[in-house]
Amino acid sequence: MIPLRVAIDPFPISVPLVIRLQNDGPSEEGTAGVIHRGQGFVEYDVCGLSLTVRTPDPDALDGDVVLILPGQRSLHRLIRNGSPHNTFLVTEQCDQKCVMCSQPPKAHHVDLFDPFYEAALLGPYGTTIGISGGEPMLHKERLFDFLLRVQERRPDIEFHILTNGQHFDKNDEPILQRLDRARILWGIPCYSASPETHDDIVVKAGAFETLERNLALLGKNGHRIELRTVILNANVNGLADLSLYVTTHHPHISFWAIMQLEPIGYGRQNWGREFFDSSQNFDPIAAGVDIANIRGLETVLYNFPLCTVPEPYRRFCANSISDWKQKYLPTCSDCSAINRCTGFFEWYPEERGFSSVGAL
Ligand code: SF4
């Protein structure tokens, strides 16, 4: 597992600090250059102050944009150099309680939009930044302001924003028109064509109705949407109906991500009840994919190990598990498909997972 936090020695700051770490060259504004390497640590020059980072592998941090919060004994790797999986967690608050949530909501909120803005400006050219929560749109004024400010200074940066789609309204249209629609992809979940089933899964009455309205609002304003559906025992048999519904009522959806369950957070708590072993029965997923395919909706399967998917459907699989939480099993070392396969979540419970996994 790739660490997203790395230990540091106490560092005297009173406000959040964002810097890019670099091995070579003198420190300049926004960067910290290496001044000394020792056994298990490296020292950087931060505006004349020494920052000691405890790591056996300093080279792994070269080019990373990191955040240090006052009083904390670790740094946060906000943008890892060369990684396509960088996400800013903008809040842990949420108004839903989805049964598969990997990041269960918390009541407390810390506003870090300003450090995130500084980090985005220091990111590599053309980087994609994920925006996640909790529910980022609970703080939509701050989020919209952040996006507009970044797009003004760094029009090369792309955003993939995960939202439950509950908090748009007609008053947002002027801002939606100002945002760079070519560089923003909204990732929005819809779990069923049945309002009751969707509302049960997200544990919010009326959520489906609001979602429908806001999918239409985003479409009307020309925004790109990735529809996201985690398969569960609660919804898998309705996947064909959902496919029909989406392609009929929301033809502006850019593509559909059908996802296997992540065994963490509420997903771990509810694993026994909700994990659907698609290595044993792929038929309901195939039915959904087939309908979407015939009707021209591009479909991608996230978090499905290749050997758990029938051969004709492997072409829909993406290598989707973020690098920092991805693992492979011992059997994978003999597999010819390992470079194309998404593998497993670090916290995947093998003894309660797919019943059929094996090298291709
Ligand atoms: S054996 Fe491992 S690497 Fe090969 S397809 Fe299955 S999960 Fe992927």
Side-chain angles (χ1 to χ4, degrees), residues 72-134:
Q72 287 199 355
R73 295 288 296 271
S74 61
L75 59 77
H76 301 253
R77 302 172 71 187
L78 290 183
I79 301 179
R80 287 175 296 123
N81 194 19
S83 171
H85 302 291
N86 292 306
T87 297
F88 295 172
L89 182 81
V90 301
T91 186
E92 294 187 87
Q93 295 174 322
C94 191
D95 56 313
Q96 296 190 161
K97 262 189 149 186
C98 306
V99 299
M100 83 305 289
C101 180
S102 59
Q103 188 87 36
K106 294 183 181 162
H108 188 58
H109 173 67
V110 179
D111 186 322
L112 291 173
F113 279 105
D114 290 336
F116 289 147
Y117 170 69
E118 291 176 46
L121 298 191
L122 290 170
Y125 181 84
T127 198
T128 297
I129 295 174
I131 301 290
S132 171

Short mmCIF file of all heavy atoms in Angstrom, two decimals, residues 72-134:
data_model
loop_
_atom_site.label_atom_id
_atom_site.label_comp_id
_atom_site.label_asym_id
_atom_site.label_seq_id
_atom_site.Cartn_x
_atom_site.Cartn_y
_atom_site.Cartn_z
N GLN A 72 0.51 19.00 13.42
CA GLN A 72 0.46 17.58 13.01
C GLN A 72 1.87 17.03 12.78
O GLN A 72 2.77 17.75 12.34
CB GLN A 72 -0.38 17.41 11.74
CG GLN A 72 -1.86 17.58 12.02
CD GLN A 72 -2.74 16.97 10.93
OE1 GLN A 72 -2.27 16.48 9.90
NE2 GLN A 72 -4.04 17.00 11.15
N ARG A 73 2.02 15.74 13.07
CA ARG A 73 3.34 15.09 12.94
C ARG A 73 3.42 14.27 11.65
O ARG A 73 4.15 13.29 11.57
CB ARG A 73 3.58 14.19 14.15
CG ARG A 73 3.68 14.96 15.46
CD ARG A 73 4.99 15.74 15.55
NE ARG A 73 6.16 14.86 15.57
CZ ARG A 73 6.70 14.35 16.66
NH1 ARG A 73 6.20 14.64 17.84
NH2 ARG A 73 7.76 13.56 16.59
N SER A 74 2.63 14.65 10.66
CA SER A 74 2.73 13.97 9.37
C SER A 74 2.34 14.95 8.28
O SER A 74 1.65 15.95 8.53
CB SER A 74 1.82 12.74 9.31
OG SER A 74 0.48 13.13 9.48
N LEU A 75 2.82 14.68 7.07
CA LEU A 75 2.40 15.48 5.92
C LEU A 75 1.42 14.67 5.09
O LEU A 75 1.42 13.43 5.12
CB LEU A 75 3.60 15.94 5.10
CG LEU A 75 4.57 14.90 4.51
CD1 LEU A 75 4.01 14.22 3.28
CD2 LEU A 75 5.89 15.58 4.17
N HIS A 76 0.58 15.36 4.35
CA HIS A 76 -0.41 14.73 3.47
C HIS A 76 0.07 14.88 2.04
O HIS A 76 0.32 16.00 1.58
CB HIS A 76 -1.78 15.41 3.61
CG HIS A 76 -2.34 15.40 4.99
ND1 HIS A 76 -3.39 14.60 5.36
CD2 HIS A 76 -1.98 16.08 6.11
CE1 HIS A 76 -3.66 14.79 6.65
NE2 HIS A 76 -2.82 15.69 7.11
N ARG A 77 0.17 13.79 1.32
CA ARG A 77 0.59 13.84 -0.09
C ARG A 77 -0.65 14.15 -0.93
O ARG A 77 -1.37 13.25 -1.34
CB ARG A 77 1.22 12.52 -0.49
CG ARG A 77 2.42 12.15 0.37
CD ARG A 77 2.90 10.75 0.09
NE ARG A 77 3.56 10.64 -1.21
CZ ARG A 77 3.95 9.49 -1.75
NH1 ARG A 77 3.72 8.35 -1.10
NH2 ARG A 77 4.54 9.47 -2.92
N LEU A 78 -0.88 15.42 -1.21
CA LEU A 78 -2.10 15.82 -1.93
C LEU A 78 -2.02 15.46 -3.40
O LEU A 78 -2.98 14.98 -4.00
CB LEU A 78 -2.32 17.33 -1.80
CG LEU A 78 -2.74 17.86 -0.43
CD1 LEU A 78 -2.99 19.36 -0.53
CD2 LEU A 78 -3.97 17.14 0.08
N ILE A 79 -0.87 15.76 -4.03
CA ILE A 79 -0.69 15.41 -5.44
C ILE A 79 0.62 14.64 -5.54
O ILE A 79 1.70 15.19 -5.39
CB ILE A 79 -0.63 16.68 -6.33
CG1 ILE A 79 -1.92 17.49 -6.18
CG2 ILE A 79 -0.42 16.29 -7.79
CD1 ILE A 79 -1.95 18.78 -7.00
N ARG A 80 0.48 13.34 -5.77
CA ARG A 80 1.68 12.50 -5.93
C ARG A 80 2.14 12.59 -7.38
O ARG A 80 1.37 12.35 -8.31
CB ARG A 80 1.39 11.05 -5.53
CG ARG A 80 1.25 10.90 -4.01
CD ARG A 80 0.83 9.51 -3.61
NE ARG A 80 -0.49 9.20 -4.12
CZ ARG A 80 -0.76 8.15 -4.91
NH1 ARG A 80 0.19 7.31 -5.26
NH2 ARG A 80 -1.98 7.96 -5.35
N ASN A 81 3.40 12.93 -7.53
CA ASN A 81 3.94 13.16 -8.87
C ASN A 81 3.79 11.90 -9.73
O ASN A 81 4.20 10.81 -9.33
CB ASN A 81 5.43 13.52 -8.73
CG ASN A 81 5.99 14.10 -10.01
OD1 ASN A 81 5.25 14.56 -10.87
ND2 ASN A 81 7.30 14.07 -10.13
N GLY A 82 3.18 12.04 -10.87
CA GLY A 82 3.07 10.91 -11.80
C GLY A 82 1.89 10.01 -11.52
O GLY A 82 1.64 9.07 -12.28
N SER A 83 1.16 10.22 -10.44
CA SER A 83 0.01 9.36 -10.17
C SER A 83 -1.25 9.94 -10.79
O SER A 83 -1.51 11.15 -10.69
CB SER A 83 -0.22 9.21 -8.65
OG SER A 83 -1.45 8.54 -8.43
N PRO A 84 -2.09 9.10 -11.41
CA PRO A 84 -3.37 9.60 -11.93
C PRO A 84 -4.46 9.57 -10.85
O PRO A 84 -5.62 9.85 -11.14
CB PRO A 84 -3.69 8.60 -13.05
CG PRO A 84 -3.04 7.33 -12.62
CD PRO A 84 -1.85 7.69 -11.77
N HIS A 85 -4.11 9.17 -9.62
CA HIS A 85 -5.12 8.98 -8.57
C HIS A 85 -4.92 9.97 -7.43
O HIS A 85 -4.58 9.59 -6.31
CB HIS A 85 -5.05 7.55 -8.02
CG HIS A 85 -5.25 6.49 -9.06
ND1 HIS A 85 -6.46 6.27 -9.67
CD2 HIS A 85 -4.39 5.60 -9.60
CE1 HIS A 85 -6.34 5.28 -10.54
NE2 HIS A 85 -5.09 4.86 -10.53
N ASN A 86 -5.08 11.25 -7.71
CA ASN A 86 -4.94 12.26 -6.66
C ASN A 86 -6.30 12.87 -6.35
O ASN A 86 -7.00 13.33 -7.25
CB ASN A 86 -3.97 13.35 -7.11
CG ASN A 86 -2.55 12.81 -7.22
OD1 ASN A 86 -2.02 12.25 -6.27
ND2 ASN A 86 -1.93 12.96 -8.39
N THR A 87 -6.64 12.87 -5.06
CA THR A 87 -7.98 13.31 -4.66
C THR A 87 -7.89 14.29 -3.48
O THR A 87 -7.13 14.07 -2.55
CB THR A 87 -8.83 12.09 -4.23
OG1 THR A 87 -8.99 11.25 -5.36
CG2 THR A 87 -10.20 12.52 -3.75
N PHE A 88 -8.66 15.37 -3.59
CA PHE A 88 -8.79 16.29 -2.46
C PHE A 88 -10.09 15.94 -1.74
O PHE A 88 -11.19 16.04 -2.32
CB PHE A 88 -8.88 17.74 -2.93
CG PHE A 88 -7.65 18.28 -3.61
CD1 PHE A 88 -7.66 19.53 -4.22
CD2 PHE A 88 -6.46 17.57 -3.62
CE1 PHE A 88 -6.54 20.05 -4.83
CE2 PHE A 88 -5.31 18.07 -4.24
CZ PHE A 88 -5.36 19.32 -4.86
N LEU A 89 -9.97 15.52 -0.49
CA LEU A 89 -11.16 15.21 0.33
C LEU A 89 -11.62 16.52 0.95
O LEU A 89 -11.04 16.98 1.93
CB LEU A 89 -10.78 14.19 1.41
CG LEU A 89 -11.91 13.74 2.31
CD1 LEU A 89 -12.75 12.67 1.65
CD2 LEU A 89 -11.37 13.21 3.63
N VAL A 90 -12.65 17.14 0.38
CA VAL A 90 -12.98 18.50 0.78
C VAL A 90 -13.89 18.58 2.01
O VAL A 90 -13.96 19.62 2.66
CB VAL A 90 -13.56 19.33 -0.38
CG1 VAL A 90 -12.59 19.40 -1.53
CG2 VAL A 90 -14.89 18.79 -0.85
N THR A 91 -14.58 17.51 2.30
CA THR A 91 -15.37 17.48 3.54
C THR A 91 -15.72 16.04 3.87
O THR A 91 -15.77 15.19 2.99
CB THR A 91 -16.68 18.30 3.42
OG1 THR A 91 -17.33 18.33 4.70
CG2 THR A 91 -17.64 17.70 2.40
N GLU A 92 -15.95 15.80 5.15
CA GLU A 92 -16.43 14.47 5.56
C GLU A 92 -17.90 14.52 5.93
O GLU A 92 -18.46 13.53 6.39
CB GLU A 92 -15.58 13.94 6.72
CG GLU A 92 -14.14 13.68 6.29
CD GLU A 92 -13.33 13.00 7.36
OE1 GLU A 92 -13.35 11.76 7.42
OE2 GLU A 92 -12.66 13.72 8.12
N GLN A 93 -18.54 15.66 5.72
CA GLN A 93 -19.97 15.76 5.98
C GLN A 93 -20.76 15.21 4.78
O GLN A 93 -20.31 15.33 3.65
CB GLN A 93 -20.37 17.22 6.21
CG GLN A 93 -19.76 17.83 7.44
CD GLN A 93 -20.06 19.32 7.55
OE1 GLN A 93 -20.08 20.02 6.55
NE2 GLN A 93 -20.27 19.78 8.77
N CYS A 94 -21.90 14.63 5.06
CA CYS A 94 -22.77 14.17 3.97
C CYS A 94 -24.21 14.11 4.47
O CYS A 94 -24.46 13.92 5.66
CB CYS A 94 -22.34 12.79 3.46
SG CYS A 94 -23.20 12.34 1.92
N ASP A 95 -25.15 14.28 3.54
CA ASP A 95 -26.57 14.22 3.88
C ASP A 95 -27.16 12.85 3.55
O ASP A 95 -28.35 12.64 3.76
CB ASP A 95 -27.34 15.30 3.13
CG ASP A 95 -27.13 15.20 1.63
OD1 ASP A 95 -25.95 15.05 1.22
OD2 ASP A 95 -28.11 15.24 0.88
N GLN A 96 -26.35 11.95 2.99
CA GLN A 96 -26.84 10.59 2.74
C GLN A 96 -26.02 9.63 3.62
O GLN A 96 -25.01 10.01 4.21
CB GLN A 96 -26.68 10.22 1.26
CG GLN A 96 -27.53 11.11 0.35
CD GLN A 96 -27.58 10.62 -1.10
OE1 GLN A 96 -28.47 11.00 -1.83
NE2 GLN A 96 -26.63 9.79 -1.51
N LYS A 97 -26.46 8.40 3.68
CA LYS A 97 -25.77 7.37 4.47
C LYS A 97 -25.76 6.08 3.66
O LYS A 97 -26.30 5.06 4.09
CB LYS A 97 -26.49 7.14 5.80
CG LYS A 97 -25.90 7.89 6.97
CD LYS A 97 -26.52 7.44 8.26
CE LYS A 97 -25.53 7.53 9.41
NZ LYS A 97 -26.08 6.98 10.62
N CYS A 98 -25.21 6.15 2.47
CA CYS A 98 -25.29 5.03 1.53
C CYS A 98 -24.72 3.75 2.16
O CYS A 98 -23.69 3.79 2.84
CB CYS A 98 -24.52 5.37 0.26
SG CYS A 98 -25.07 6.91 -0.48
N VAL A 99 -25.38 2.64 1.88
CA VAL A 99 -25.03 1.40 2.57
C VAL A 99 -23.65 0.89 2.19
O VAL A 99 -23.08 0.06 2.89
CB VAL A 99 -26.07 0.28 2.31
CG1 VAL A 99 -27.43 0.69 2.82
CG2 VAL A 99 -26.13 -0.11 0.84
N MET A 100 -23.08 1.41 1.06
CA MET A 100 -21.75 0.96 0.66
C MET A 100 -20.70 2.04 0.85
O MET A 100 -19.58 1.91 0.39
CB MET A 100 -21.77 0.50 -0.81
CG MET A 100 -21.62 1.59 -1.84
SD MET A 100 -22.83 2.91 -1.71
CE MET A 100 -24.29 2.07 -2.25
N CYS A 101 -21.03 3.14 1.54
CA CYS A 101 -20.12 4.29 1.63
C CYS A 101 -18.75 3.86 2.17
O CYS A 101 -18.65 3.22 3.22
CB CYS A 101 -20.72 5.37 2.52
SG CYS A 101 -19.65 6.81 2.68
N SER A 102 -17.71 4.25 1.45
CA SER A 102 -16.35 3.90 1.89
C SER A 102 -15.79 4.93 2.87
O SER A 102 -14.75 4.71 3.49
CB SER A 102 -15.42 3.78 0.68
OG SER A 102 -15.39 5.00 -0.03
N GLN A 103 -16.46 6.07 2.97
CA GLN A 103 -15.97 7.17 3.82
C GLN A 103 -17.16 7.67 4.65
O GLN A 103 -17.71 8.73 4.37
CB GLN A 103 -15.45 8.28 2.90
CG GLN A 103 -14.73 9.42 3.56
CD GLN A 103 -13.28 9.16 3.75
OE1 GLN A 103 -12.64 8.53 2.92
NE2 GLN A 103 -12.73 9.63 4.86
N PRO A 104 -17.59 6.89 5.65
CA PRO A 104 -18.80 7.27 6.39
C PRO A 104 -18.73 8.71 6.91
O PRO A 104 -17.68 9.17 7.35
CB PRO A 104 -18.82 6.26 7.54
CG PRO A 104 -18.14 5.07 6.98
CD PRO A 104 -17.03 5.61 6.12
N PRO A 105 -19.86 9.41 6.82
CA PRO A 105 -19.87 10.84 7.14
C PRO A 105 -19.54 11.14 8.60
O PRO A 105 -19.81 10.34 9.49
CB PRO A 105 -21.29 11.26 6.80
CG PRO A 105 -22.05 10.05 6.47
CD PRO A 105 -21.12 8.91 6.32
N LYS A 106 -18.98 12.34 8.77
CA LYS A 106 -18.73 12.87 10.12
C LYS A 106 -19.40 14.24 10.20
O LYS A 106 -19.60 14.90 9.18
CB LYS A 106 -17.23 12.99 10.37
CG LYS A 106 -16.52 11.66 10.40
CD LYS A 106 -15.05 11.83 10.72
CE LYS A 106 -14.34 10.48 10.72
NZ LYS A 106 -12.90 10.60 10.59
N ALA A 107 -19.70 14.66 11.41
CA ALA A 107 -20.41 15.94 11.57
C ALA A 107 -19.49 17.14 11.37
O ALA A 107 -19.91 18.17 10.86
CB ALA A 107 -21.03 15.99 12.97
N HIS A 108 -18.23 16.98 11.73
CA HIS A 108 -17.31 18.12 11.76
C HIS A 108 -16.77 18.43 10.36
O HIS A 108 -16.56 17.53 9.57
CB HIS A 108 -16.15 17.74 12.68
CG HIS A 108 -15.23 18.87 12.97
ND1 HIS A 108 -15.64 20.04 13.55
CD2 HIS A 108 -13.89 19.01 12.74
CE1 HIS A 108 -14.61 20.85 13.68
NE2 HIS A 108 -13.53 20.25 13.19
N HIS A 109 -16.57 19.72 10.07
CA HIS A 109 -16.01 20.11 8.78
C HIS A 109 -14.83 21.06 8.98
O HIS A 109 -14.93 22.01 9.76
CB HIS A 109 -17.08 20.81 7.93
CG HIS A 109 -16.54 21.40 6.65
ND1 HIS A 109 -16.06 20.62 5.62
CD2 HIS A 109 -16.38 22.70 6.26
CE1 HIS A 109 -15.65 21.42 4.64
NE2 HIS A 109 -15.83 22.66 5.00
N VAL A 110 -13.75 20.81 8.28
CA VAL A 110 -12.60 21.73 8.29
C VAL A 110 -12.44 22.24 6.86
O VAL A 110 -12.29 21.44 5.93
CB VAL A 110 -11.31 21.00 8.73
CG1 VAL A 110 -10.12 21.98 8.69
CG2 VAL A 110 -11.47 20.41 10.12
N ASP A 111 -12.51 23.54 6.68
CA ASP A 111 -12.43 24.14 5.34
C ASP A 111 -10.98 24.24 4.90
O ASP A 111 -10.20 25.03 5.46
CB ASP A 111 -13.09 25.52 5.37
CG ASP A 111 -13.17 26.12 3.96
OD1 ASP A 111 -12.23 25.94 3.18
OD2 ASP A 111 -14.19 26.77 3.66
N LEU A 112 -10.60 23.44 3.90
CA LEU A 112 -9.22 23.47 3.39
C LEU A 112 -9.18 23.91 1.93
O LEU A 112 -8.22 23.61 1.21
CB LEU A 112 -8.58 22.08 3.54
CG LEU A 112 -8.29 21.63 4.98
CD1 LEU A 112 -7.81 20.18 4.99
CD2 LEU A 112 -7.24 22.53 5.63
N PHE A 113 -10.22 24.63 1.47
CA PHE A 113 -10.24 25.01 0.06
C PHE A 113 -9.05 25.90 -0.31
O PHE A 113 -8.53 25.79 -1.43
CB PHE A 113 -11.56 25.70 -0.30
CG PHE A 113 -12.68 24.73 -0.56
CD1 PHE A 113 -13.68 24.53 0.36
CD2 PHE A 113 -12.71 23.99 -1.74
CE1 PHE A 113 -14.71 23.63 0.13
CE2 PHE A 113 -13.73 23.08 -1.99
CZ PHE A 113 -14.74 22.90 -1.05
N ASP A 114 -8.61 26.76 0.59
CA ASP A 114 -7.48 27.63 0.24
C ASP A 114 -6.19 26.83 0.06
O ASP A 114 -5.49 27.01 -0.95
CB ASP A 114 -7.32 28.76 1.26
CG ASP A 114 -8.47 29.77 1.15
OD1 ASP A 114 -9.08 29.85 0.07
OD2 ASP A 114 -8.77 30.45 2.14
N PRO A 115 -5.83 25.92 1.00
CA PRO A 115 -4.66 25.08 0.73
C PRO A 115 -4.82 24.22 -0.53
O PRO A 115 -3.86 24.00 -1.27
CB PRO A 115 -4.54 24.20 1.98
CG PRO A 115 -5.29 24.90 3.04
CD PRO A 115 -6.32 25.75 2.37
N PHE A 116 -6.04 23.75 -0.78
CA PHE A 116 -6.25 22.94 -1.99
C PHE A 116 -6.00 23.79 -3.25
O PHE A 116 -5.46 23.30 -4.25
CB PHE A 116 -7.66 22.36 -2.02
CG PHE A 116 -7.90 21.26 -1.02
CD1 PHE A 116 -9.14 21.07 -0.43
CD2 PHE A 116 -6.88 20.39 -0.66
CE1 PHE A 116 -9.37 20.06 0.48
CE2 PHE A 116 -7.09 19.36 0.26
CZ PHE A 116 -8.34 19.21 0.84
N TYR A 117 -6.41 25.05 -3.18
CA TYR A 117 -6.15 25.95 -4.32
C TYR A 117 -4.65 26.10 -4.55
O TYR A 117 -4.17 25.97 -5.68
CB TYR A 117 -6.80 27.31 -4.01
CG TYR A 117 -6.43 28.42 -4.97
CD1 TYR A 117 -6.88 28.41 -6.29
CD2 TYR A 117 -5.62 29.48 -4.55
CE1 TYR A 117 -6.52 29.43 -7.16
CE2 TYR A 117 -5.27 30.49 -5.42
CZ TYR A 117 -5.73 30.47 -6.72
OH TYR A 117 -5.37 31.47 -7.60
N GLU A 118 -3.91 26.34 -3.48
CA GLU A 118 -2.45 26.46 -3.61
C GLU A 118 -1.85 25.18 -4.18
O GLU A 118 -0.95 25.22 -5.02
CB GLU A 118 -1.81 26.74 -2.25
CG GLU A 118 -2.11 28.11 -1.68
CD GLU A 118 -1.51 28.25 -0.27
OE1 GLU A 118 -0.34 27.88 -0.09
OE2 GLU A 118 -2.23 28.69 0.62
N ALA A 119 -2.36 24.04 -3.71
CA ALA A 119 -1.83 22.75 -4.19
C ALA A 119 -2.10 22.57 -5.68
O ALA A 119 -1.22 22.13 -6.43
CB ALA A 119 -2.45 21.60 -3.40
N ALA A 120 -3.30 22.94 -6.10
CA ALA A 120 -3.64 22.78 -7.52
C ALA A 120 -2.69 23.61 -8.39
O ALA A 120 -2.23 23.14 -9.44
CB ALA A 120 -5.09 23.20 -7.77
N LEU A 121 -2.36 24.82 -7.94
CA LEU A 121 -1.46 25.66 -8.74
C LEU A 121 -0.07 25.05 -8.86
O LEU A 121 0.64 25.29 -9.83
CB LEU A 121 -1.35 27.07 -8.11
CG LEU A 121 -2.63 27.90 -8.02
CD1 LEU A 121 -2.31 29.33 -7.64
CD2 LEU A 121 -3.43 27.87 -9.32
N LEU A 122 0.34 24.25 -7.85
CA LEU A 122 1.67 23.64 -7.87
C LEU A 122 1.69 22.29 -8.59
O LEU A 122 2.74 21.69 -8.75
CB LEU A 122 2.17 23.45 -6.44
CG LEU A 122 2.54 24.72 -5.66
CD1 LEU A 122 2.78 24.39 -4.18
CD2 LEU A 122 3.78 25.38 -6.26
N GLY A 123 0.53 21.78 -8.97
CA GLY A 123 0.44 20.46 -9.59
C GLY A 123 1.07 20.43 -10.97
O GLY A 123 1.25 21.48 -11.61
N PRO A 124 1.43 19.23 -11.45
CA PRO A 124 2.02 19.11 -12.78
C PRO A 124 1.04 19.51 -13.89
O PRO A 124 -0.17 19.47 -13.69
CB PRO A 124 2.38 17.63 -12.91
CG PRO A 124 1.86 16.95 -11.72
CD PRO A 124 1.27 17.95 -10.77
N TYR A 125 1.59 19.87 -15.03
CA TYR A 125 0.76 20.28 -16.17
C TYR A 125 -0.21 19.15 -16.54
O TYR A 125 0.16 17.99 -16.63
CB TYR A 125 1.65 20.62 -17.38
CG TYR A 125 0.84 21.08 -18.57
CD1 TYR A 125 0.43 22.40 -18.69
CD2 TYR A 125 0.45 20.16 -19.55
CE1 TYR A 125 -0.35 22.81 -19.75
CE2 TYR A 125 -0.33 20.56 -20.61
CZ TYR A 125 -0.73 21.88 -20.71
OH TYR A 125 -1.51 22.27 -21.77
N GLY A 126 -1.45 19.53 -16.75
CA GLY A 126 -2.43 18.57 -17.27
C GLY A 126 -2.92 17.55 -16.27
O GLY A 126 -3.53 16.56 -16.66
N THR A 127 -2.66 17.78 -14.98
CA THR A 127 -3.05 16.77 -14.00
C THR A 127 -4.58 16.73 -13.83
O THR A 127 -5.28 17.71 -14.08
CB THR A 127 -2.36 17.06 -12.64
OG1 THR A 127 -2.40 15.90 -11.84
CG2 THR A 127 -3.03 18.21 -11.89
N THR A 128 -5.07 15.56 -13.42
CA THR A 128 -6.49 15.43 -13.06
C THR A 128 -6.59 15.32 -11.56
O THR A 128 -5.90 14.51 -10.93
CB THR A 128 -7.10 14.18 -13.71
OG1 THR A 128 -7.05 14.31 -15.13
CG2 THR A 128 -8.55 14.00 -13.29
N ILE A 129 -7.45 16.14 -10.98
CA ILE A 129 -7.64 16.14 -9.53
C ILE A 129 -9.05 15.63 -9.22
O ILE A 129 -10.03 16.15 -9.75
CB ILE A 129 -7.44 17.55 -8.94
CG1 ILE A 129 -5.98 17.99 -9.14
CG2 ILE A 129 -7.81 17.58 -7.46
CD1 ILE A 129 -5.72 19.44 -8.74
N GLY A 130 -9.11 14.60 -8.37
CA GLY A 130 -10.41 14.13 -7.91
C GLY A 130 -10.88 15.01 -6.75
O GLY A 130 -10.09 15.42 -5.91
N ILE A 131 -12.17 15.30 -6.73
CA ILE A 131 -12.77 16.04 -5.61
C ILE A 131 -13.77 15.09 -4.97
O ILE A 131 -14.66 14.56 -5.64
CB ILE A 131 -13.50 17.31 -6.09
CG1 ILE A 131 -12.55 18.25 -6.82
CG2 ILE A 131 -14.19 18.02 -4.92
CD1 ILE A 131 -11.53 18.93 -5.97
N SER A 132 -13.60 14.88 -3.66
CA SER A 132 -14.40 13.85 -3.03
C SER A 132 -14.83 14.28 -1.63
O SER A 132 -14.45 15.32 -1.13
CB SER A 132 -13.55 12.56 -3.01
OG SER A 132 -14.16 11.58 -2.26
N GLY A 133 -15.62 13.43 -0.99
CA GLY A 133 -16.06 13.69 0.37
C GLY A 133 -16.32 12.37 1.08
O GLY A 133 -15.72 11.36 0.69
N GLY A 134 -17.28 12.39 1.97
CA GLY A 134 -18.41 13.27 2.21
C GLY A 134 -19.04 13.78 0.89
O GLY A 134 -18.84 13.22 -0.17
#
